[in-house]
Amino acid sequence: MDKATFLKNFLPQGYQQQSQDSASAFAPVNIALVKYWGKRNSQLNLPQNASLSIGLRSLGTTTHIHRAEQDEIFLNGQALAEDSPFAMRLWSFVNLLRPTTMGLSIHTHNDVPTAAGLASSASGFAALVKAMNGLMGWQLSPQQLSIVARMGSGSACRSLWDGFVRWNKGERDDGLDSYAEPLAVSMPQLRLGLVELSQDAKAIGSTLGMQQTLETCPLYAQWPAAAEKDLVQMQLALAEGDFSRMGELAEANALMMHATMIATRPSVFYWLAESVETMHRVWQLRAQGIEVYFTMDAGPNVKLIFLDQQLAAVLRVFPQMQVVEPFA
Ligand code: PMV
């Protein structure tokens, strides 16, 4: 089944009655603590493994949509050319969600750099789908919105909620059981530190990166089962409020994902020298008894994971990091 067929069947018909002229929505960035890497169905963005993330609450994407004579997109206040990669990706998705005759003006604002591995595509697609839900009057539940957001970008299905969120892998071919849901656990002292090392767009997008990893990485066969094991352990750690275990698992899982990327032929390599330097600094801090862990996604930037009591010590080494309080 292709995306268009799935969405045509899935989205409510006759929605025009409740539709609006404009709608706005916000969705938070999410950072995976157990990563999603690899699709079992690339049309429907169905994953090879379940994943688990933390929403960044205050950082994300705000999208405003209104009906217009002519299609236009503004990203962070700037009009985008029709043929820019961002605009093309967005329109090809929006075209699956609206009648052909409907013109739209879309204004989207990201709190984090676009396409630099700070997960802005996840919050972007989630905010877009929420805004379209208001505009079209679909009245979808969060779980249904998660399924539609997944069609835009897999990890977007986790950006419908704050806090810890698990994306269920699902078993069905149509993906109706592959959606995210919030976990009833919190860790109020948890802090994320975003260490931005580059604002450049990543060299290779996650869709292509995953596909190449799946096709050519000799280590990849190990990944889905190993990631599922990490997920079970991660849920236990969260249920027990065991921060150390959570941090260890998140860091190890990110490195395992990057090991598969690196061993892909040709290598899907996202690290800069500064990324490696940052990892060493984290390990030095831990050797000094300051508990801080890192995770990384499809880009060179590093996200630090620590508790509030270590904030001052971590800031001394990373004065430029942006601190996020996911549960405040
Ligand atoms: O949703 P995508 O296709 O941008 O993939 C995201 C993949 C990672 O960010 C590397 C991992 C994850 O689970 O978020």
Side-chain angles (χ1 to χ4, degrees):
M1 192 187 323
D2 66 9
K3 240 179 230 185
T5 313
F6 176 85
L7 286 168
K8 205 164 149 258
N9 294 331
F10 187 74
L11 294 173
Q13 304 297 315
Y15 43 74
Q16 277 86 353
Q17 280 81 7
Q18 293 94 25
S19 69
Q20 313 278 323
D21 287 335
S22 70
S24 293
F26 171 82
V29 162
N30 77 76
I31 305 291
L33 301 175
V34 176
K35 308 291 186 187
Y36 146 58
W37 196 249
K39 305 179 198 232
R40 68 174 191 279
N41 177 328
S42 50
Q43 263 296 319
L44 304 182
N45 285 342
L46 298 178
Q48 290 279 352
N49 62 283
S51 54
L52 190 152
S53 62
I54 174 81
L56 296 194
R57 195 180 56 90
S58 55
L59 281 187
T61 302
T62 305
T63 294
H64 175 81
I65 307 182
H66 62 263
R67 292 171 191 247
E69 288 293 310
Q70 278 208 321
D71 284 348
E72 53 182 15
I73 298 191
F74 293 82
L75 174 61
N76 298 333
Q78 285 203 321
L80 289 186
E82 236 174 278
D83 57 355
S84 73
F86 183 94
M88 283 172 38
R89 187 169 176 209
L90 203 120
W91 285 126
S92 71
F93 183 59
V94 172
N95 286 341
L96 303 173
L97 309 178
R98 64 171 174 177
T100 41
T101 50
M102 184 188 280
L104 292 176
S105 173
I106 302 181
H107 292 249
T108 188
H109 179 88
N110 281 331
D111 300 324
V112 294
T114 306
L118 278 173
S120 56
S121 82
S123 56
F125 278 105
L128 177 75
V129 166
K130 281 170 87 173
M132 285 301 284
N133 185 47
L135 189 94
M136 306 294 275
W138 294 326
Q139 302 185 339
L140 296 181
S141 68
Q143 183 177 309
Q144 291 169 318
L145 290 174
S146 174
I147 288 177
V148 180
R150 192 194 76 223
M151 301 283 160
S153 158
S155 58
C157 76
R158 299 186 309 237
S159 272
L160 273 299
W161 299 270
D162 288 327
F164 295 114
V165 173
R166 184 186 62 226
W167 173 8
N168 302 314
K169 171 177 166 265
E171 300 297 334
R172 292 172 61 121
D173 287 343
D174 62 8
L176 283 175
D177 54 355
S178 184
Y179 51 81
E181 53 189 334
L183 301 179
V185 275
S186 71
M187 206 178 264
Q189 307 308 321
L190 182 67
R191 301 292 178 265
L192 273 284
L194 307 182
V195 181
E196 190 178 284
L197 302 168
S198 165
Q199 285 221 358
D200 295 347
K202 52 197 168 200
I204 173 165
S206 50
T207 296
L208 191 59
M210 283 180 200
Q211 189 188 330
Q212 290 184 359
T213 307
L214 217 98
E215 283 168 8
T216 73
C217 174
L219 311 181
Y220 185 78
Q222 306 289 323
W223 165 261
E228 293 284 352
K229 259 193 198 161
D230 283 347
L231 186 105
V232 171
Q233 295 300 316
M234 180 64 81
Q235 292 189 118
L236 276 176
L238 295 181
E240 287 164 10
D242 186 343
F243 168 74
S244 308
R245 188 78 193 114
M246 180 258 231
E248 278 164 13
L249 280 164
E251 189 176 295
N253 181 269
L255 287 170
M256 178 164 63
M257 175 183 72
H258 280 272
T260 70
M261 294 163 162
I262 291 168
T264 295
R265 305 174 184 196
S267 186
V268 177
F269 198 87
Y270 292 111
W271 297 355
L272 291 175
E274 292 85 346
S275 318
V276 178
E277 198 183 312
T278 303
M279 296 181 213
H280 281 289
R281 287 205 192 142
V282 167
W283 291 325
Q284 279 160 8
L285 276 169
R286 282 226 294 283
Q288 294 160 20
I290 294 155
E291 243 196 310
V292 49
Y293 301 87
F294 65 80
T295 185
M296 285 182 73
D297 293 289
N301 298 311
V302 181
K303 293 102 182 185
L304 306 182
I305 305 166
F306 52 93
L307 293 178
D308 187 43
Q309 69 219 48
Q310 305 292 9
L311 177 63
V314 180
L315 267 176
R316 268 196 291 281
V317 177
F318 298 102
Q320 80 286 23
M321 76 175 171
Q322 184 174 355
V323 181
V324 181
E325 302 186 5
F327 293 100

